[in-house]
Amino acid sequence: MITSTLLLTIALSPLIGAIIAGLFGKQVGRGGAHTVTILGVAISTALSLYVLKLIAMDGHPAVNMSIYTWFEIGSIKAEVGFLVDSLTALMMCVVTSVSLMVHIYTIGYMKDDPGYQRFFAYISLFTFAMLMLVMSNNFMQLFFGWEAVGLVSYLLIGFWYKRPTAIFANLKAFLVNRVGDFGFLLGIGMLLAYLGTLDYATAFARAPELVGQTFTPWGTTEWAVPTVICILLFIGAMGKSAQVPLHVWLPDSMEGPTPISALIHAATMVTAGIFMVARMSPLYELSETALSFILVIGAITALFMGLIGVVQNDIKRVVAYSTLSQLGYMTVALGASAYSAAIFHLMTHAFFKALLFLGAGSVIIAMHHQQDLRRMGGLSKYMRVTWITAWVGTLALIGFPGTSGFFSKDAILIAVQHAERPGATFAYICVLLGVAITAFYSFRMLYLAFHGKERFSHDDDHSHDAHHDDHGAHDDHHDDHGHHSGPPQESPWVVTLPLILLAIPSLLIGAFTAGPLLFGNFFDGAIFVAEGRAPLAEMAHHFEHGALAFALHGFVTLPVWLALGGFALATYIYLFNPAVAEKAKQVLAPIHRILDRKYGFDELYQALFARGSVAMGKLFWQAGDQAVIDGALVNGSAGLVARTAFAIRRLQSGFLYHYAFMMILGLIVVIGAFALLQ
């Protein structure tokens, strides 16, 4: 049975571990801190898997329960409660299992860091916040988890808080997400205004009432209420899931240590927006306009963020821009009403993206915290486990037939191809091009790191700063890492074990779960698709003969050949003719410059919003505070009183006849005024 005790244990176990590690870190020590946090997350993982088994295999009905009422005003009630259905159970398993791998990995990665206990407290608290988000049964609790995830990400991105780049990065992430969250809050407010409830079940049941309703925020133009609500909610998803133009924070989140980079990018924060839209599918199916908007935004993100990954030299940043691109694919699936495909790709992506990030971290450890791909090469002979798992993650990322990424990415491509709504053709072209680009930059990273000649020198005094030219983001919590001697070595077992455990689902989980998640009844009752829409019907036709036959069929489809084309081009350039890369950079210098500057988004936001807000602050300070408040109101009123007093004082002459004259004059004025008024 799924009881309140069971669900509270899942949600609170990471929180208890975070409290012990954070508040009593000195008392429990390093070993105690990682033991209690790993134990807490392990309990959550085991119980989440148990809940998934009950729902998926044993036929346990969905659970919607209230734990307690926070406040009640008239008919509006705010509760803390849990909604556990197939969608929630899957998300709980993804979040906790990836978090558990990251926790174990952290023992090896952060072993020399003075903030060891603090880091474990943060990542465990992060897991708790994400669980509260996905398990909520109402918009108030969803918003709490939404903001809690944002707060803890601020602490994690700026974990090395003495570095100016880390301070800038966490502030950037915090502010950009607040922009998205403002839209998200407005969307929740409109739902409350029009439906009068914060409860999911009630809101979804009454959602059809919104059809046909309009309002006029200004002028005479009428806006459709469902469209406005859905777009406002999606603006929140654009912030959390880093969609253009609210994507700029995610690459900078690399300032945090690699384990949290993996956690943020793979399984938690960035997936919140995708999950939210899928959860709100009864609302989004009411607005074709909102779905088209989502479709186009996702397509732009998938293609153009992937292109930036081609020119990146920092190993973590390549993986970061890959995350942005893959989030675009998930968003495109949402816009095509293929919510199950989006969640399916979210799940498979969580495993292989965590694998790639943690593999990058293993390389960073071996290279003494060097992150520049141009100073690596030939690491395959030193790091066999990391190398093999990196190949697995790369093949899954490009969607090679048979891997988990193939089934989920192919589902998205087929859904978009057959989507019949404005923007679908544009989106399909973008995601198709994105397939080739993904393969190119993925194998570029793999070859530069593990193959070819060794480009590192153990005694090179400049090895530590070689990659500092483009962004300055690296895990330099020990300044001498770049000067260690000796060849690279394979990482310890606490690092390689999570890599192996993540490589297994990266290869296999797609084939075993594609059927029930995409074409079965797994998401029945959790995800709603309007009648007449069957975004995955074409894929279901090809999947009739099983996962193996579908994988083999992939070799005759255009996306796979585009991926193989990207692979072949990367292989030729970076294994056989590296000079081509430099020539291409020179020939395509203007394009390279645009990509290297990330399309100028950072400069635009710095000029428009950062400097603009500073200029606005100065205007209010100088014109408002100094001139109006201090000058006119405070000092001006005091001066007026002084001048008035001075003038009145001059009338006090002390002569009796002056006072008699003024009395007579005043009497004449009063009598004259009375006469005029008659």
Side-chain angles (χ1 to χ4, degrees), residues 37-58:
T37 52
I38 290 174
L39 180 62
V41 177
I43 291 171
S44 290
T45 305
L47 295 179
S48 295
L49 290 170
Y50 173 67
V51 169
L52 181 63
K53 173 189 173 293
L54 289 177
I55 290 177
M57 300 177 68
D58 297 347

Side-chain angles (χ1 to χ4, degrees), residues 88-320:
T88 303
L90 182 65
M91 288 295 300
M92 288 161 58
C93 291
V94 171
V95 169
T96 54
S97 58
V98 173
S99 179
L100 180 61
M101 296 298 104
V102 169
H103 274 71
I104 296 171
Y105 177 95
T106 299
I107 297 173
Y109 193 89
M110 301 292 289
K111 62 183 178 67
D112 298 322
D113 197 281
Y116 189 85
Q117 295 100 313
R118 178 166 59 92
F119 188 80
F120 272 99
Y122 286 172
I123 58 176
S124 195
L125 185 62
F126 199 87
T127 308
F128 159 74
M130 192 65 195
L131 285 171
M132 291 300 292
L133 189 157
V134 301
M135 295 171 68
S136 64
N137 71 343
N138 62 85
F139 289 96
M140 185 210 71
Q141 188 175 325
L142 172 71
F143 191 72
F144 162 75
W146 198 267
E147 295 302 302
V149 166
L151 173 63
V152 186
S153 73
Y154 173 86
L155 299 173
L156 285 164
I157 295 168
F159 181 76
W160 291 313
Y161 54 85
K162 293 183 179 180
R163 285 167 36 187
T165 49
I167 298 169
F168 179 78
N170 68 358
L171 187 61
K172 187 176 181 179
F174 191 80
L175 292 176
V176 172
N177 272 278
R178 296 296 74 75
V179 173
D181 294 353
F182 181 66
F184 187 60
L185 190 59
L186 288 176
I188 294 175
M190 283 193 66
L191 271 173
L192 182 61
Y194 281 91
L195 298 180
T197 182
L198 290 169
D199 181 69
Y200 286 168
T202 307
F204 297 159
R206 295 183 58 189
E209 298 175 12
L210 299 174
V211 177
Q213 293 198 50
T214 60
F215 74 112
T216 52
W218 58 77
T220 58
T221 304
E222 293 187 342
W223 293 19
V225 170
T227 298
V228 174
I229 289 175
C230 290
I231 290 177
L232 286 172
L233 290 173
F234 181 68
I235 289 172
M238 288 169 68
K240 280 289 183 290
S241 294
Q243 297 297 290
V244 173
L246 300 182
H247 67 283
V248 293
W249 69 271
L250 194 59
D252 290 77
S253 68
M254 299 297 95
E255 284 293 329
T258 295
I260 196 54
S261 300
L263 199 56
I264 286 177
H265 286 249
T268 53
M269 186 171 174
V270 296
T271 64
I274 307 300
F275 163 79
M276 184 275 295
V277 176
R279 172 61 75 200
M280 308 299 161
S281 57
L283 296 173
Y284 280 91
E285 288 297 293
L286 300 176
S287 175
E288 190 83 4
T289 304
L291 289 173
S292 288
F293 177 75
I294 294 171
L295 192 66
V296 172
I297 292 292
I300 292 170
T301 305
L303 175 60
F304 292 96
M305 294 302 106
L307 284 169
I308 299 178
V310 174
V311 302
Q312 296 298 307
N313 294 311
D314 183 294
I315 188 171
K316 282 176 57 179
R317 290 218 164 203
V318 177
V319 187

Side-chain angles (χ1 to χ4, degrees), residues 105 108-109 111 355 358-368 378-391 450 456 458 486-500:
Y105 177 95
Y109 193 89
K111 62 183 178 67
L355 173 61
L358 298 186
S362 180
V363 169
I364 292 168
I365 294 172
M367 295 298 298
H368 313 301
L379 292 178
S380 59
K381 65 180 180 182
Y382 302 106
M383 310 176 68
R384 306 298 288 184
V385 175
T386 303
W387 170 57
I388 293 170
T389 55
W391 263 94
F450 293 99
F456 52 87
H458 311 306
Q489 295 181 350
E490 183 63 271
S491 301
W493 72 268
V494 289
V495 172
T496 56
L497 178 62
L499 296 180
I500 296 169

Side-chain angles (χ1 to χ4, degrees), residues 651-653 655-672:
L651 296 175
Q652 306 296 321
S653 63
F655 294 106
L656 184 61
Y657 61 85
H658 284 171
Y659 297 137
F661 175 74
M662 294 301 296
M663 290 174 65
I664 294 169
L665 184 62
L667 185 61
I668 292 171
V669 171
V670 172
I671 293 171

